[in-house]
C-alpha cells in the first residue's frame, strides 16, 4: 500500500508539523487541492491574499492559513506563519518520490569501465560512458546519455533524455528534469585571421547537493576551472548557464533566465524569469533581479534591481518610445547635466 | 504514387478552393515556391506588399494574390481575399502528413499496462510507461519517453526525442515537435529555515485538439489542477509554459516567449517572440503582445500592448539610457506630477 | 599515447605558433589553466585587463600576453598581439577532438536506404532515416534521430540526443551540441474561418562548413527555400532560428538569442545574449547587437546597436518607469516636436 494515500487527521497533521489547530481535530484528508476545487476530504491553503475571497466558499476539509485569516473562518484550520511552506511539507506526504527499482534495463549501453551502484536504476536506451560512476538510490530515466568521467551522487533523480556530456559531477539528491544538457562545450571562440577558432573547454561542471535543474536547461562546462552550482540551487526550465559561471547556495532562477560566462552569483539570490546577467560580473548575496531585467554591472548591495519599461497600450507606448530617442535633447533643453557622461550614476 | 505530386491545373485549384481564376485555366503546377524562385511549374503567392516588386519578374506558373494586385499582373492568377491562407491550403496538397505505418518498433520498451492502439506507429528507442494510452493513427517518433498515466489522442504526431513525463493528456491531432517536454514538475518551492523545500506537483497537463507544440518547448504540469491548453493553440519553439497556466483556444505564441505559473491567457491572443507574462495574471481574448514585451499586470481590453525602447545606435542609446535614470528628477524640474505615485496610470 | 598530453617547451611553442619568447625557453608545460590557478607545469594567458593584477602572483610556467604587459613580468612569457587567440591555438594541443571509432553501434536503427560511410561512428540508440547520408570521420552520438533526406558532411561531430528532422544538409566539420533540433517545421500558420491552418514547410536547412550549433538550439526548416547558415557561423546554446532565416559567414550569436523567419543577417555580425531580430529584416555585415536588444528595423550601417534601459535599484527604476509613461506629455510641455510622428528618426 502506498503510504502517500494514508488518510491524515487534522490533529495528526498539527502534531507532526508543529501547527496550531482550530476546529475539528478529527477532520480527515486523503490529498491536497486548491481552495476553489478542494473536496471535503482534501486539504487546501491560503497564502496569497488574492485568493482570500475563496475562503468563504471552499469545501476543503482542512485549510492552512495565517492566524489573522483564521479569525473569520468557521471550518477546520491549521495555523502557520508561512502557509505555503507548511502546505509544501504536508503535500509531500501525498506525492513521495518515485521508489527506486534497482537494476540496469537490458537495453542500456554501459561502458565496461563505468561503475553502477547495485542499488541504482538505469532506464532503457540510456548509455553510460567510460569512467563514469552512478551512485546508490539513483534513478536515471530513459534515453539519457551520460558521457565520460561523470559522477552522479547518491539519491539523484535524472529525468528522460538528459545529457551529461563530460566531467559533470553531481552531489547527492540532485534532481534533473528531462532534456537538460550539462557539460557541453562552453562558447569559447577567438577570431584569428578572419575565422573563428574554438577555445578548448577543459573544465567540468560541479553541482552541489539538493540542486534542482529544470527541463531543457543547459549548463556548459568550464573553459579551465569548473562551472559551479553550490548546494540547494534551484533552476527552472530553459535556463542557460555559461562556462565558469558560479551560482551560490540557495539561489533560485526562474524560467528562461541566463547567466553568461564567468559571472558569479551570490547566495540566496532570486533571478526573475527571462532575466540575464552578463559575463564576468559579480552579484553579492540576497540580490533580487526582476523578470526580463538585464544585469550589466556588478551588484554590491543586497536588494531588488530592475530594467525595462512598463507595459503600455501600443499606441501610447509608441509615443513614449519615440520620446526616449529624444531624451538627451529634451534634457539639455531644460538644463539637465551638460552631458550624460557627467552624470555619476550613468553606466 | 504519392498523390502530393499529382499536377494541378489552375482551373482545378480555382474550383477546389473556391477562388476566382484570371488567365489560363490549363496552367499546371507540380509544387509551390516563392515569387523569386518559382519555376513555371510552381505556384507562388503575394500577400506581403514588401514583395510586390517581385510580381513583375516571377516565373511562377500560377500566382495567388488579391484582386487589386491582379489588375497589373499578366500571368495566370487565383484571386483570394487572404492569399496566404489560400496558399496554405493549396500547399498542403504537396506535403501531406506522413502516413502512419502501424506497428511497434522491436526496440521500443512498452510497459505491460500501457495500451497501444493497433493502428499506432511507435518508433525505435521509445518507451511508454505504466497506465499510458496511445490512440489510433498516432505516430510517436524515435527516442521518445512517454511516462506514466499519459493519453495520446487519435491522430497525434509526436516528433523525435519528445518527453511526456506524467499525467499528460493530449487531444486529437496534436502535433509535437522534437525535444519538447510536457509534464515536468512545475517550479514550486517554499523557503523553510534557510533551505528550499519542494512543493509536490500533483496535477497534469491537458492539451486540446489540434494544438501544435514547437521544438524544445516545455509545459510543466500543474501543482494541483492541470496546466491547460484549449484547442488549436499554436506554440512555436523554445516556449516555456509554467504550472497551472491556462491558454485559450486559437492563441498563438512565437518563439522563446513564456507564460509563468497560474497565468490565464484568453482566446485568439498573439504573443510575440521573447515576450513574457508574469504569474497569476489574466489576459482577455484577442490581446496582442509585441515581441520581447513583459506583461506585468492583467489586461482587460483587447488590443496591442508593448514595453521596451526602440532600437538605436549604441552611442545615441547610451545618452538616452543615462537620461532614463534621471527621468524623475527631470520631470520634477518641469513641473510633472509631484510624485510618480500620484500618476494614476502608473503601475 | 595521446599526443595531447605531450609536454611542450616555451621554445617549441614560440616556434610552432610564431610568437616571441621572453625568458626561459626550456620552461615546460603539460596543460593550460587560468592565471589564478595554474601550476608551474601549466600555461596561462592575460588578455582581459581586469585580470592584470593576477600576473604578479601566478605560478604558471608560461604566460601568453601582449608585449606591453610583458615588460613588468619576470617569468617566462610568449608575446602575442592577441593573447586569447594564441592561447586558443595552443590549448587545442591539450584537448584534441575525440578520435573516431568507426562503426555502427549494434543497437542503432539504420534505414535500408541510408548510406553510412565506413569511417563514420554511429552511437547507441541512434536512428537514421530513409535517404540520409553520413560522411567519413563523422561521430553521431547516442540517442540521435536523423530523419529523412539529411546529409551529414565529413568530419562532423553530432552530440547526444540531437534531432535532424528532414532535409537538413550539414557541410564539413560542423559541430552540433546535445539536444539541438534542426529541420523542424517552421512556424507557418494562416487564420482561416476562426481556426489556424498549418502552412506546409517544404524547404530544408543548409549549414555551411565549420559551423557550431549549441545545446538545445533550434533551427527550423524553410517554408519553401532553405534556412541557411553560411560557413563558420557560431551559435551558442538555446538559440532559435526561424524558417528561411539566412545567417552570413563568421557571424556569432550568444545564448538565448533569436532570429525570426526570413530575416537576413550579414557576415561577421555579433548578436548578444537574449537579443532578438524580427522577421523579414536585413542586417548588413559587421553589425553588433548588444544583449537583450530587440532589432525592429533593418540595419544598413555597420556598428553597435542597442535597446533597453540601464540597470537600476528597483525603487529608482519604478520612478523612472512611471515617468516613461508620461514622456510624450512631458516633452510637449517643454516644447518638443508637436507629435512624436513628426520626429524623423522615430520608428
Amino acid at each position: 500500500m502506498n503510504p502517500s494515500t494514508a488518510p491524515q487527521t487534522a490533529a495528526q497533521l498539527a502534531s507532526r508539523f508543529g501547527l496550531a489547530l482550530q476546529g475539528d481535530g478529527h477532520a480527515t484528508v486523503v490529498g491536497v487541492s486548491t481552495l476553489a476545487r478542494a473536496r471535503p476530504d482534501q486539504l487546501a491553503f491560503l497564502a496569497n491574499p488574492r485568493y482570500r475571497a475563496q475562503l468563504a466558499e471552499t469545501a476543503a476539509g482542512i485549510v492552512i492559513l495565517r492566524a489573522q485569516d483564521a479569525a473569520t473562518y468557521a471550518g477546520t484550520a491549521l495555523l502557520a506563519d508561512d502557509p505555503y511552506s507548511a502546505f509544501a511539507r504536508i503535500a509531500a506526504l501525498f506525492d513521495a518520490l518515485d521508489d527506486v527499482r534497482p537494476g540496469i534495463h537490458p537495453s542500456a549501453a554501459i561502458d565496461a569501465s563505468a561503475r553502477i551502484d547495485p542499488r541504482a536504476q538505469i532506464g532503457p536506451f540510456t548509455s553510460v560512458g567510460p569512467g563514469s560512476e552512478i551512485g546508490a538510490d539513483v534513478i536515471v530515466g530513459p534515453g539519457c546519455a551520460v558521457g565520460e568521467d561523470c559522477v552522479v551522487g547518491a539519491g539523484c533523480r535524472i529525468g528522460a533524455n538528459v545529457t551529461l556530456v563530460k566531467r559533470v559531477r553531481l552531489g547527492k539528491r540532485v534532481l534533473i528534469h528531462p532534456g537538460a544538457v550539462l557539460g557541453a562545450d562552453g562558447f569559447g571562440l577567438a577570431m584569428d585571421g578572419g575565422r573563428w577558432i574554438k577555445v578548448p573547454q577543459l573544465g567540468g561542471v560541479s553541482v552541489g547537493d539538493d540542486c534542482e535543474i529544470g527541463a531543457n536547461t543547459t549548463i556548459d562546462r568550464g573553459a579551465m576551472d569548473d562551472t559551479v552550482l553550490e548546494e540547494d540551487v534551484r533552476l527552472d526550465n530553459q535556463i542557460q548557464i555559461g562556462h565558469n559561471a558560479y551560482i551560490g547556495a540557495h539561489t533560485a532562477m526562474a524560467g528562461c533566465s541566463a547567466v553568461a560566462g564567468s559571472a558569479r552569483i551570490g547566495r540566496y539570490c532570486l533571478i526573475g524569469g527571462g532575466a540575464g546577467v552578463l559575463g564576468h560580473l559579480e552579484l553579492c548575496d540576497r540580490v533580487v533581479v526582476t523578470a526580463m531585467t538585464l544585469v550589466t554591472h556588478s551588484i554590491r548591495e543586497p536588494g531588488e534591481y530592475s530594467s525595462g519599461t512598463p507595459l503600455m497600450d501600443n499606441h501610447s507606448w509608441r509615443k513614449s518610445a519615440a520620446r526616449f530617442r529624444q531624451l538627451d535633447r529634451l534634457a539639455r533643453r531644460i538644463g539637465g547635466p551638460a552631458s550624460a557622461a557627467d552624470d555619476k550614476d550613468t553606466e
Side-chain angles (χ1 to χ4, degrees), chain A residues 14 17 43 58 80 82 89 105 111 119 135 148-149 157 159 186 210 240 272 287 290 308 318 324 327 341 346:
Chain A
F17 293 99
L43 170 146
T58 187
D82 181 348
R89 285 176 287 141
H105 192 276
D111 188 86
R119 282 163 55 198
E148 48 187 305
D149 297 323
R157 294 288 190 275
D210 300 305
Q240 154 67 5
V287 166
T290 59
R318 283 176 178 274
F324 180 86
L327 265 188
T346 295

PDB file of all heavy atoms in Angstrom, chain A residues 14 17 43 58 80 82 89 105 111 119 135 148-149 157 159 186 210 240 272 287 290 308 318 324 327 341 346:
ATOM      1  N   ALA A  14      -1.358  18.553  12.695  1.00  0.00           N
ATOM      2  CA  ALA A  14      -0.954  19.629  13.615  1.00  0.00           C
ATOM      3  C   ALA A  14       0.233  19.172  14.451  1.00  0.00           C
ATOM      4  O   ALA A  14       1.215  19.903  14.622  1.00  0.00           O
ATOM      5  CB  ALA A  14      -2.131  20.026  14.502  1.00  0.00           C
ATOM      6  N   PHE A  17       3.569  18.494  12.202  1.00  0.00           N
ATOM      7  CA  PHE A  17       4.228  19.658  11.594  1.00  0.00           C
ATOM      8  C   PHE A  17       4.286  20.873  12.534  1.00  0.00           C
ATOM      9  O   PHE A  17       4.640  21.970  12.121  1.00  0.00           O
ATOM     10  CB  PHE A  17       3.541  20.026  10.284  1.00  0.00           C
ATOM     11  CG  PHE A  17       3.722  18.954   9.225  1.00  0.00           C
ATOM     12  CD1 PHE A  17       2.727  18.012   8.975  1.00  0.00           C
ATOM     13  CD2 PHE A  17       4.924  18.861   8.524  1.00  0.00           C
ATOM     14  CE1 PHE A  17       2.911  17.009   8.029  1.00  0.00           C
ATOM     15  CE2 PHE A  17       5.113  17.855   7.574  1.00  0.00           C
ATOM     16  CZ  PHE A  17       4.108  16.925   7.325  1.00  0.00           C
ATOM     17  N   LEU A  43      -7.109  18.831   1.632  1.00  0.00           N
ATOM     18  CA  LEU A  43      -6.556  19.969   2.369  1.00  0.00           C
ATOM     19  C   LEU A  43      -6.145  21.047   1.365  1.00  0.00           C
ATOM     20  O   LEU A  43      -5.621  20.741   0.298  1.00  0.00           O
ATOM     21  CB  LEU A  43      -5.349  19.480   3.171  1.00  0.00           C
ATOM     22  CG  LEU A  43      -4.445  20.498   3.858  1.00  0.00           C
ATOM     23  CD1 LEU A  43      -3.915  19.900   5.174  1.00  0.00           C
ATOM     24  CD2 LEU A  43      -3.251  20.869   2.979  1.00  0.00           C
ATOM     25  N   THR A  58     -14.928  27.606   0.133  1.00  0.00           N
ATOM     26  CA  THR A  58     -14.194  26.359  -0.088  1.00  0.00           C
ATOM     27  C   THR A  58     -14.878  25.176   0.602  1.00  0.00           C
ATOM     28  O   THR A  58     -15.461  25.323   1.676  1.00  0.00           O
ATOM     29  CB  THR A  58     -12.735  26.470   0.413  1.00  0.00           C
ATOM     30  OG1 THR A  58     -12.043  25.285   0.017  1.00  0.00           O
ATOM     31  CG2 THR A  58     -12.657  26.624   1.925  1.00  0.00           C
ATOM     32  N   ALA A  80      -0.409  28.679  10.416  1.00  0.00           N
ATOM     33  CA  ALA A  80       1.023  28.690  10.099  1.00  0.00           C
ATOM     34  C   ALA A  80       1.459  30.106   9.777  1.00  0.00           C
ATOM     35  O   ALA A  80       0.711  30.863   9.155  1.00  0.00           O
ATOM     36  CB  ALA A  80       1.302  27.780   8.901  1.00  0.00           C
ATOM     37  N   ASP A  82       3.827  30.703   7.756  1.00  0.00           N
ATOM     38  CA  ASP A  82       4.073  30.630   6.316  1.00  0.00           C
ATOM     39  C   ASP A  82       3.244  29.464   5.748  1.00  0.00           C
ATOM     40  O   ASP A  82       3.715  28.333   5.677  1.00  0.00           O
ATOM     41  CB  ASP A  82       5.570  30.405   6.047  1.00  0.00           C
ATOM     42  CG  ASP A  82       5.896  30.346   4.566  1.00  0.00           C
ATOM     43  OD1 ASP A  82       4.959  30.257   3.738  1.00  0.00           O
ATOM     44  OD2 ASP A  82       7.097  30.366   4.235  1.00  0.00           O
ATOM     45  N   ARG A  89       5.240  21.000   2.892  1.00  0.00           N
ATOM     46  CA  ARG A  89       5.679  19.846   3.666  1.00  0.00           C
ATOM     47  C   ARG A  89       4.560  18.808   3.797  1.00  0.00           C
ATOM     48  O   ARG A  89       4.795  17.604   3.708  1.00  0.00           O
ATOM     49  CB  ARG A  89       6.197  20.297   5.033  1.00  0.00           C
ATOM     50  CG  ARG A  89       7.594  20.956   4.893  1.00  0.00           C
ATOM     51  CD  ARG A  89       8.110  21.512   6.209  1.00  0.00           C
ATOM     52  NE  ARG A  89       7.384  22.725   6.557  1.00  0.00           N
ATOM     53  CZ  ARG A  89       7.004  23.055   7.796  1.00  0.00           C
ATOM     54  NH1 ARG A  89       7.274  22.256   8.803  1.00  0.00           N
ATOM     55  NH2 ARG A  89       6.346  24.180   8.009  1.00  0.00           N
ATOM     56  N   HIS A 105      18.367  -1.596 -17.102  1.00  0.00           N
ATOM     57  CA  HIS A 105      17.492  -2.093 -18.172  1.00  0.00           C
ATOM     58  C   HIS A 105      18.347  -2.840 -19.200  1.00  0.00           C
ATOM     59  O   HIS A 105      19.439  -2.389 -19.551  1.00  0.00           O
ATOM     60  CB  HIS A 105      16.765  -0.931 -18.840  1.00  0.00           C
ATOM     61  CG  HIS A 105      15.660  -1.374 -19.740  1.00  0.00           C
ATOM     62  ND1 HIS A 105      15.865  -1.750 -21.050  1.00  0.00           N
ATOM     63  CD2 HIS A 105      14.330  -1.515 -19.520  1.00  0.00           C
ATOM     64  CE1 HIS A 105      14.708  -2.087 -21.599  1.00  0.00           C
ATOM     65  NE2 HIS A 105      13.758  -1.946 -20.704  1.00  0.00           N
ATOM     66  N   ASP A 111      29.416   1.378 -20.519  1.00  0.00           N
ATOM     67  CA  ASP A 111      30.824   1.136 -20.817  1.00  0.00           C
ATOM     68  C   ASP A 111      31.436   0.213 -19.753  1.00  0.00           C
ATOM     69  O   ASP A 111      31.061   0.271 -18.568  1.00  0.00           O
ATOM     70  CB  ASP A 111      31.581   2.465 -20.849  1.00  0.00           C
ATOM     71  CG  ASP A 111      33.000   2.282 -21.345  1.00  0.00           C
ATOM     72  OD1 ASP A 111      33.207   2.309 -22.571  1.00  0.00           O
ATOM     73  OD2 ASP A 111      33.913   2.078 -20.502  1.00  0.00           O
ATOM     74  N   ARG A 119      22.377  -0.548  -6.282  1.00  0.00           N
ATOM     75  CA  ARG A 119      21.079  -0.004  -5.854  1.00  0.00           C
ATOM     76  C   ARG A 119      20.586   1.106  -6.777  1.00  0.00           C
ATOM     77  O   ARG A 119      19.625   1.808  -6.474  1.00  0.00           O
ATOM     78  CB  ARG A 119      21.172   0.509  -4.426  1.00  0.00           C
ATOM     79  CG  ARG A 119      21.119  -0.645  -3.394  1.00  0.00           C
ATOM     80  CD  ARG A 119      21.612  -0.219  -2.029  1.00  0.00           C
ATOM     81  NE  ARG A 119      20.877   0.939  -1.539  1.00  0.00           N
ATOM     82  CZ  ARG A 119      21.306   1.727  -0.549  1.00  0.00           C
ATOM     83  NH1 ARG A 119      22.465   1.474   0.049  1.00  0.00           N
ATOM     84  NH2 ARG A 119      20.597   2.753  -0.152  1.00  0.00           N
ATOM     85  N   GLY A 135      25.727   6.526  -8.452  1.00  0.00           N
ATOM     86  CA  GLY A 135      25.663   6.157  -7.044  1.00  0.00           C
ATOM     87  C   GLY A 135      24.421   5.373  -6.659  1.00  0.00           C
ATOM     88  O   GLY A 135      23.569   5.037  -7.488  1.00  0.00           O
ATOM     89  N   GLU A 148      31.604  10.729 -20.536  1.00  0.00           N
ATOM     90  CA  GLU A 148      32.766  10.210 -19.818  1.00  0.00           C
ATOM     91  C   GLU A 148      33.089  11.018 -18.574  1.00  0.00           C
ATOM     92  O   GLU A 148      32.836  12.218 -18.498  1.00  0.00           O
ATOM     93  CB  GLU A 148      33.985  10.160 -20.743  1.00  0.00           C
ATOM     94  CG  GLU A 148      34.242  11.400 -21.545  1.00  0.00           C
ATOM     95  CD  GLU A 148      35.380  11.166 -22.552  1.00  0.00           C
ATOM     96  OE1 GLU A 148      36.474  10.761 -22.129  1.00  0.00           O
ATOM     97  OE2 GLU A 148      35.172  11.418 -23.754  1.00  0.00           O
ATOM     98  N   ASP A 149      33.647  10.305 -17.598  1.00  0.00           N
ATOM     99  CA  ASP A 149      34.141  10.937 -16.374  1.00  0.00           C
ATOM    100  C   ASP A 149      33.083  11.762 -15.662  1.00  0.00           C
ATOM    101  O   ASP A 149      33.357  12.876 -15.191  1.00  0.00           O
ATOM    102  CB  ASP A 149      35.375  11.806 -16.692  1.00  0.00           C
ATOM    103  CG  ASP A 149      36.535  10.972 -17.215  1.00  0.00           C
ATOM    104  OD1 ASP A 149      36.707   9.838 -16.728  1.00  0.00           O
ATOM    105  OD2 ASP A 149      37.262  11.428 -18.117  1.00  0.00           O
ATOM    106  N   ARG A 157      17.955  12.017  -9.057  1.00  0.00           N
ATOM    107  CA  ARG A 157      16.895  11.621  -9.961  1.00  0.00           C
ATOM    108  C   ARG A 157      17.130  12.342 -11.284  1.00  0.00           C
ATOM    109  O   ARG A 157      17.070  13.574 -11.344  1.00  0.00           O
ATOM    110  CB  ARG A 157      15.528  12.055  -9.439  1.00  0.00           C
ATOM    111  CG  ARG A 157      15.097  11.368  -8.165  1.00  0.00           C
ATOM    112  CD  ARG A 157      14.727   9.922  -8.448  1.00  0.00           C
ATOM    113  NE  ARG A 157      14.093   9.278  -7.307  1.00  0.00           N
ATOM    114  CZ  ARG A 157      14.763   8.700  -6.315  1.00  0.00           C
ATOM    115  NH1 ARG A 157      16.075   8.705  -6.291  1.00  0.00           N
ATOM    116  NH2 ARG A 157      14.098   8.106  -5.334  1.00  0.00           N
ATOM    117  N   GLY A 159      15.807  12.760 -15.090  1.00  0.00           N
ATOM    118  CA  GLY A 159      14.650  12.516 -15.953  1.00  0.00           C
ATOM    119  C   GLY A 159      15.054  11.983 -17.323  1.00  0.00           C
ATOM    120  O   GLY A 159      16.244  11.776 -17.609  1.00  0.00           O
ATOM    121  N   GLY A 186      31.654  25.024 -23.379  1.00  0.00           N
ATOM    122  CA  GLY A 186      31.392  26.448 -23.264  1.00  0.00           C
ATOM    123  C   GLY A 186      31.598  27.128 -24.605  1.00  0.00           C
ATOM    124  O   GLY A 186      32.242  26.583 -25.506  1.00  0.00           O
ATOM    125  N   ASP A 210      21.346  18.578  -3.458  1.00  0.00           N
ATOM    126  CA  ASP A 210      19.982  19.103  -3.387  1.00  0.00           C
ATOM    127  C   ASP A 210      19.678  20.187  -4.409  1.00  0.00           C
ATOM    128  O   ASP A 210      18.736  20.969  -4.230  1.00  0.00           O
ATOM    129  CB  ASP A 210      19.685  19.640  -1.977  1.00  0.00           C
ATOM    130  CG  ASP A 210      19.812  18.541  -0.930  1.00  0.00           C
ATOM    131  OD1 ASP A 210      19.144  17.515  -1.093  1.00  0.00           O
ATOM    132  OD2 ASP A 210      20.606  18.703   0.018  1.00  0.00           O
ATOM    133  N   GLN A 240      19.969  29.081 -19.123  1.00  0.00           N
ATOM    134  CA  GLN A 240      21.290  28.899 -19.720  1.00  0.00           C
ATOM    135  C   GLN A 240      22.355  29.399 -18.746  1.00  0.00           C
ATOM    136  O   GLN A 240      22.322  30.559 -18.315  1.00  0.00           O
ATOM    137  CB  GLN A 240      21.348  29.672 -21.047  1.00  0.00           C
ATOM    138  CG  GLN A 240      22.737  30.114 -21.509  1.00  0.00           C
ATOM    139  CD  GLN A 240      23.660  28.959 -21.896  1.00  0.00           C
ATOM    140  OE1 GLN A 240      23.253  27.800 -21.905  1.00  0.00           O
ATOM    141  NE2 GLN A 240      24.883  29.265 -22.198  1.00  0.00           N
ATOM    142  N   GLY A 272      14.716  36.638 -11.737  1.00  0.00           N
ATOM    143  CA  GLY A 272      13.383  36.534 -12.338  1.00  0.00           C
ATOM    144  C   GLY A 272      13.407  35.913 -13.733  1.00  0.00           C
ATOM    145  O   GLY A 272      14.449  35.832 -14.388  1.00  0.00           O
ATOM    146  N   VAL A 287      20.512  39.185  -3.700  1.00  0.00           N
ATOM    147  CA  VAL A 287      20.095  40.117  -4.743  1.00  0.00           C
ATOM    148  C   VAL A 287      18.856  39.544  -5.429  1.00  0.00           C
ATOM    149  O   VAL A 287      18.810  38.357  -5.742  1.00  0.00           O
ATOM    150  CB  VAL A 287      21.230  40.316  -5.772  1.00  0.00           C
ATOM    151  CG1 VAL A 287      20.728  40.991  -7.041  1.00  0.00           C
ATOM    152  CG2 VAL A 287      22.357  41.115  -5.133  1.00  0.00           C
ATOM    153  N   THR A 290      14.442  41.444 -11.067  1.00  0.00           N
ATOM    154  CA  THR A 290      13.065  41.241 -11.550  1.00  0.00           C
ATOM    155  C   THR A 290      13.068  40.688 -12.984  1.00  0.00           C
ATOM    156  O   THR A 290      14.074  40.728 -13.689  1.00  0.00           O
ATOM    157  CB  THR A 290      12.256  42.551 -11.473  1.00  0.00           C
ATOM    158  OG1 THR A 290      12.914  43.532 -12.272  1.00  0.00           O
ATOM    159  CG2 THR A 290      12.158  43.057 -10.041  1.00  0.00           C
ATOM    160  N   GLY A 308      14.115  47.993 -17.921  1.00  0.00           N
ATOM    161  CA  GLY A 308      12.945  47.861 -18.792  1.00  0.00           C
ATOM    162  C   GLY A 308      11.968  49.004 -18.609  1.00  0.00           C
ATOM    163  O   GLY A 308      12.222  49.942 -17.861  1.00  0.00           O
ATOM    164  N   ARG A 318       4.188  53.753 -28.332  1.00  0.00           N
ATOM    165  CA  ARG A 318       4.914  54.311 -29.471  1.00  0.00           C
ATOM    166  C   ARG A 318       5.299  55.766 -29.220  1.00  0.00           C
ATOM    167  O   ARG A 318       6.382  56.209 -29.594  1.00  0.00           O
ATOM    168  CB  ARG A 318       4.072  54.223 -30.750  1.00  0.00           C
ATOM    169  CG  ARG A 318       4.060  52.833 -31.340  1.00  0.00           C
ATOM    170  CD  ARG A 318       3.134  52.740 -32.551  1.00  0.00           C
ATOM    171  NE  ARG A 318       3.214  51.400 -33.100  1.00  0.00           N
ATOM    172  CZ  ARG A 318       4.129  50.993 -33.982  1.00  0.00           C
ATOM    173  NH1 ARG A 318       5.027  51.850 -34.455  1.00  0.00           N
ATOM    174  NH2 ARG A 318       4.151  49.756 -34.397  1.00  0.00           N
ATOM    175  N   PHE A 324      11.805  58.601 -26.088  1.00  0.00           N
ATOM    176  CA  PHE A 324      13.027  58.037 -25.493  1.00  0.00           C
ATOM    177  C   PHE A 324      14.229  58.342 -26.376  1.00  0.00           C
ATOM    178  O   PHE A 324      15.313  58.664 -25.886  1.00  0.00           O
ATOM    179  CB  PHE A 324      12.850  56.521 -25.312  1.00  0.00           C
ATOM    180  CG  PHE A 324      14.055  55.835 -24.712  1.00  0.00           C
ATOM    181  CD1 PHE A 324      14.225  55.774 -23.335  1.00  0.00           C
ATOM    182  CD2 PHE A 324      15.018  55.248 -25.521  1.00  0.00           C
ATOM    183  CE1 PHE A 324      15.335  55.138 -22.781  1.00  0.00           C
ATOM    184  CE2 PHE A 324      16.135  54.608 -24.975  1.00  0.00           C
ATOM    185  CZ  PHE A 324      16.281  54.567 -23.595  1.00  0.00           C
ATOM    186  N   LEU A 327      15.578  61.812 -25.683  1.00  0.00           N
ATOM    187  CA  LEU A 327      15.701  62.168 -24.262  1.00  0.00           C
ATOM    188  C   LEU A 327      16.857  63.106 -23.977  1.00  0.00           C
ATOM    189  O   LEU A 327      16.735  64.033 -23.181  1.00  0.00           O
ATOM    190  CB  LEU A 327      15.861  60.912 -23.411  1.00  0.00           C
ATOM    191  CG  LEU A 327      14.590  60.335 -22.801  1.00  0.00           C
ATOM    192  CD1 LEU A 327      14.959  59.215 -21.845  1.00  0.00           C
ATOM    193  CD2 LEU A 327      13.810  61.416 -22.063  1.00  0.00           C
ATOM    194  N   ALA A 341      27.472  61.846 -19.790  1.00  0.00           N
ATOM    195  CA  ALA A 341      28.677  61.251 -19.216  1.00  0.00           C
ATOM    196  C   ALA A 341      29.093  61.954 -17.921  1.00  0.00           C
ATOM    197  O   ALA A 341      29.874  61.439 -17.151  1.00  0.00           O
ATOM    198  CB  ALA A 341      29.818  61.290 -20.220  1.00  0.00           C
ATOM    199  N   THR A 346      25.615  57.225 -14.252  1.00  0.00           N
ATOM    200  CA  THR A 346      25.497  56.629 -15.587  1.00  0.00           C
ATOM    201  C   THR A 346      26.363  55.375 -15.669  1.00  0.00           C
ATOM    202  O   THR A 346      27.428  55.315 -15.099  1.00  0.00           O
ATOM    203  CB  THR A 346      25.990  57.647 -16.637  1.00  0.00           C
ATOM    204  OG1 THR A 346      25.103  58.743 -16.607  1.00  0.00           O
ATOM    205  CG2 THR A 346      26.015  57.036 -18.029  1.00  0.00           C
TER     206      THR A 346
END
